[in-house]
Amino acid sequence: MGRTAPACAFRLLPLNVGDVKFPRSSGILLHMTSLPSAFGIGDLGESAFDFAEFLAASGHKIWQVLPLNPTGFGDSPYQCFSAFAGNPLLIDPLTLCKQGLLSSGDVAQVRDFPVDRVDYESVTNYKKPLLHLAARNFFRDASQQQKADFDSFCRQNVSWIEDFALFMACKYHRDQVMWTRWEPGVRDRNPEAIGQVKRDLASEIQAYELWQYIFFQQWRNLKSRCHELGIRLMGDIPIYVAHDSADVWSHRELFHLDEKGQPTAVAGVPPDYFSATGQLWGNPIYRWDLLAQSGYSWWIERFRASLAMFDLARLDHFRGFEAYWEVPAGSPTAANGRWVKGPGAELFRVVESFLGELPIVAENLGVITPEVEAIRHQFGFPGMSLLQFAFGNDPQGPSFRPHNYGRELVAYTGGHDNDTTVGWWTSSGATDSVRTPEDVQKERRFARAYLGFEDQPVNWVFIRTVLASVADTAIIPLQDVLGLGSEARMNLPGSISGNWRWRLKPGALTEELSQRLKEMNSMYDR
């Protein structure tokens, strides 16, 4: 080990993120877990490279993914054990075989995984032993140069990797219970207790560090191939981190917590399109005053890590940086919250002073005020528009209609929290929102009149509309390209199970589909 750094010590060095302009282009939203593979979950192997080839052949220039961090509660990529680490479940076992870390016999007995969804428990039970075996083989057989490369990677990421590996090893040996339920010495990071844990779990800690080395090695290979094909990778930066995470455990002072580590206030949003009682996310709230005193060093490193991985990044819940919805801990819903001022433009001024102009897309959906938009315009962050929101009773509906689009915009048919376009169009009612059946019928009549179509497939009407719009960037969830219904929905806000599971079936991406997309991209100068 021996790569220690003081708590909250970050390497505040300038970073040139390159060209941050948004030339007219289009892309596909497909989370990495949704790719086909023999191992029950999409990964960084052959199918990822094949999808990049499909994008290039179809005239797309952007691949958007959801957060790629190790998932925790509900398998959600927005509730992760770390804001910095990669998800080891995305490591491709076949690449490990090519590197000699596994043998062909090790992966010969693949389970009969579902092809259309991810069974996270089965995937974890299958992949975790393989990853442990690969770690044992590495530390036994790796060359001096390979071990030196691994040590160099750990030194470069010292600000987070040791705390993350220690956190995960502790969880693994405590039956995955939340860190607030660990024995007080480890929970509160008593130096003597932590020292003993590091000695007791040294090999497990080292394995978690190695898996990060392998993940980012495989990611760099995929990113390099995408760049060769002219594809830019667009990531996602959630505004909040999970309570049960290495980030909160190792930096308790940066969050509103009590003496036992429990939140005194949690995040959410007030009543909205999706819920009459709001959405209670439960993430701990930042101590923005202390973050400001540290020069926002934690956030600088978070942006740095994301922009080292991705060419562009969607900044989730952008309005929360201007003002956020704070709910007292223990509240049954988010209805009894209040708006509290966030760091505002100061955070982005400080981050840009270190990292340069940020290639950020601001997720400006929800209750958006002039103050929120002023910050977005000040830094030139494109906003988002979802066509599914254009036709209903939402007071902001007119801003989602293409005749009101501006050029500095990312236009979507729908997003990961929406039903698929076909599901939205054909469902009998509004199971995912506060709309009444009458609202739904009125919405559909208006959409049909506005878009001027009769019997054409609604997904292709939507796709053509966003591609033809003046918005510089158009993004289409792959489920809409395939014309899939509600069974392919990625997430239903407010539900706690059954989400994030959809997978692309092998062979679904045909030459005919690619050619159709290419013609439309060419027609609309994408």
Side-chain angles (χ1 to χ4, degrees):
M1 309 293 285
R3 298 178 295 273
T4 58
C8 274
F10 294 115
R11 300 172 294 106
L12 301 184
L13 304 174
L15 173 70
N16 180 8
V17 298
D19 184 5
V20 300
K21 296 179 181 178
F22 290 80
R24 187 169 177 83
S25 60
S26 69
I28 297 291
L29 167 59
L30 177 71
H31 192 38
M32 200 67 60
T33 60
S34 296
L35 288 164
S37 84
F39 302 103
I41 189 172
D43 57 36
L44 298 168
E46 183 178 358
S47 65
F49 288 80
D50 288 344
F51 184 68
E53 299 275 358
F54 173 84
L55 287 173
S58 304
H60 293 299
K61 298 180 176 65
I62 298 173
W63 179 358
Q64 182 180 347
V65 298
L66 305 181
L68 299 180
N69 312 105
T71 54
F73 177 74
D75 308 308
S76 170
Y78 296 91
Q79 295 285 347
C80 291
F81 292 132
S82 169
F84 296 85
N87 189 344
L89 293 181
L90 299 178
I91 291 173
D92 172 37
L94 296 181
T95 300
L96 298 182
C97 291
K98 295 175 184 176
Q99 294 174 318
L101 295 178
L102 294 175
S103 70
S104 57
D106 295 330
V107 298
Q109 299 299 318
V110 180
R111 297 185 183 182
D112 187 19
F113 293 108
V115 297
D116 59 346
R117 62 183 174 83
V118 181
D119 181 340
Y120 284 95
E121 183 178 3
S122 295
V123 167
T124 301
N125 291 338
Y126 174 78
K127 275 199 164 182
K128 201 70 179 287
L130 286 180
L131 292 172
H132 275 289
L133 177 59
R136 289 195 296 271
N137 291 338
F138 178 89
F139 291 115
R140 185 191 64 206
D141 301 329
S143 67
Q144 289 301 313
Q145 183 59 56
Q146 289 171 320
K147 291 179 179 178
D149 289 343
F150 165 64
D151 286 338
S152 176
F153 168 82
C154 292
R155 286 193 298 272
Q156 292 168 11
N157 295 281
V158 68
S159 63
W160 63 268
I161 194 168
E162 287 192 344
D163 281 326
F164 167 72
L166 176 59
F167 175 84
M168 295 304 296
C170 286
K171 280 191 71 70
Y172 183 74
H173 283 271
R174 287 163 177 77
D175 297 323
Q176 304 293 331
V177 301
M178 176 120 183
W179 65 266
T180 53
R181 295 169 56 193
W182 297 350
E183 61 272 30
V186 180
R187 180 196 69 193
D188 299 333
R189 295 176 61 88
N190 175 277
E192 183 176 343
I194 292 297
Q196 186 61 51
V197 168
K198 286 183 175 180
R199 291 187 291 272
D200 293 342
L201 304 181
S203 61
E204 187 74 19
I205 292 169
Q206 199 172 43
Y208 277 101
E209 291 179 336
L210 178 70
W211 299 336
Q212 291 304 302
Y213 170 69
I214 292 171
F215 171 91
F216 283 102
Q217 186 181 63
Q218 292 192 3
W219 175 257
R220 284 195 304 271
N221 291 338
L222 175 61
K223 184 178 180 181
S224 176
R225 180 55 181 154
C226 286
H227 286 179
E228 290 174 359
L229 294 167
I231 303 297
R232 294 194 293 173
L233 289 158
M234 182 173 169
D236 194 308
I237 305 175
I239 180 173
Y240 293 115
V241 295
H243 183 202
D244 192 17
S245 68
D247 310 294
V248 177
W249 176 64
S250 60
H251 297 296
R252 284 171 61 171
E253 73 282 1
L254 301 181
F255 301 87
H256 285 285
L257 306 175
D258 64 20
E259 67 280 359
K260 294 184 178 180
Q262 297 291 351
T264 57
V266 296
V269 289
D272 62 5
Y273 172 92
F274 290 110
S275 174
T277 58
Q279 296 180 48
L280 185 62
W281 297 334
N283 306 75
I285 297 291
Y286 294 107
R287 288 285 307 273
W288 285 112
D289 55 337
L290 294 184
L291 284 160
Q293 290 177 21
S294 71
Y296 298 107
S297 59
W298 185 87
W299 269 102
I300 291 169
E301 285 307 302
R302 190 172 181 199
F303 275 106
R304 183 198 304 280
S306 293
L307 298 179
M309 281 189 71
F310 300 105
D311 305 295
L312 314 166
R314 168 191 176 274
L315 186 53
D316 177 60
H317 196 55
F318 181 77
R319 75 100 54 245
F321 293 99
E322 192 280 325
Y324 54 90
W325 190 250
E326 180 183 280
V327 183
S331 297
T333 74
N336 187 32
R338 62 171 185 146
W339 288 110
V340 180
K341 282 293 183 180
E346 179 191 11
L347 170 65
F348 300 106
R349 281 198 298 267
V350 172
V351 173
E352 285 199 343
S353 72
F354 281 95
L355 305 184
E357 194 175 357
L358 299 173
I360 292 298
V361 174
E363 188 266 287
N364 60 334
L365 308 175
V367 183
I368 304 302
T369 64
E371 292 82 359
V372 176
E373 290 295 88
I375 296 172
R376 187 175 67 79
H377 289 301
Q378 178 179 344
F379 294 93
F381 300 154
M384 290 174 52
S385 181
L386 274 62
L387 192 56
Q388 283 188 29
F389 290 161
F391 311 110
N393 296 328
D394 191 321
Q396 293 180 308
S399 67
F400 295 115
R401 295 169 195 159
H403 70 271
N404 288 321
Y405 284 1
R407 293 193 180 277
E408 292 184 350
L409 183 73
V410 182
Y412 292 79
T413 54
H416 66 266
D417 284 334
N418 296 82
D419 202 343
T420 67
T421 293
V422 169
W424 168 82
W425 185 253
T426 60
S427 61
S428 59
T431 58
D432 64 346
S433 73
V434 296
R435 296 173 297 161
T436 66
E438 292 75 18
D439 291 335
V440 172
Q441 293 305 315
K442 181 180 177 181
E443 183 177 41
R444 289 175 183 164
R445 287 194 298 270
F446 180 44
R448 190 181 291 279
Y450 181 94
L451 298 170
F453 76 103
E454 291 296 334
D455 300 322
Q456 301 96 316
V458 67
N459 56 308
W460 285 106
V461 173
F462 268 48
I463 291 169
R464 180 180 292 275
T465 299
V466 298
L467 290 178
S469 74
V470 299
D472 286 335
T473 309
I475 302 290
I476 310 159
L478 187 63
Q479 294 96 315
D480 285 353
V481 174
L482 297 172
L484 300 177
S486 299
E487 75 283 352
R489 183 172 186 158
M490 202 64 174
N491 180 48
L492 178 62
S495 61
I496 60 174
S497 63
N499 297 313
W500 319 109
R501 295 177 178 268
W502 176 75
R503 292 182 68 201
L504 171 67
K505 291 182 180 179
L509 302 181
T510 64
E511 177 65 29
E512 179 184 9
L513 195 62
S514 177
Q515 186 62 32
R516 184 172 188 177
L517 290 167
K518 183 177 181 180
E519 290 174 357
M520 295 180 74
N521 279 314
S522 176
M523 181 184 304
Y524 297 118
D525 298 322
R526 295 287 179 186

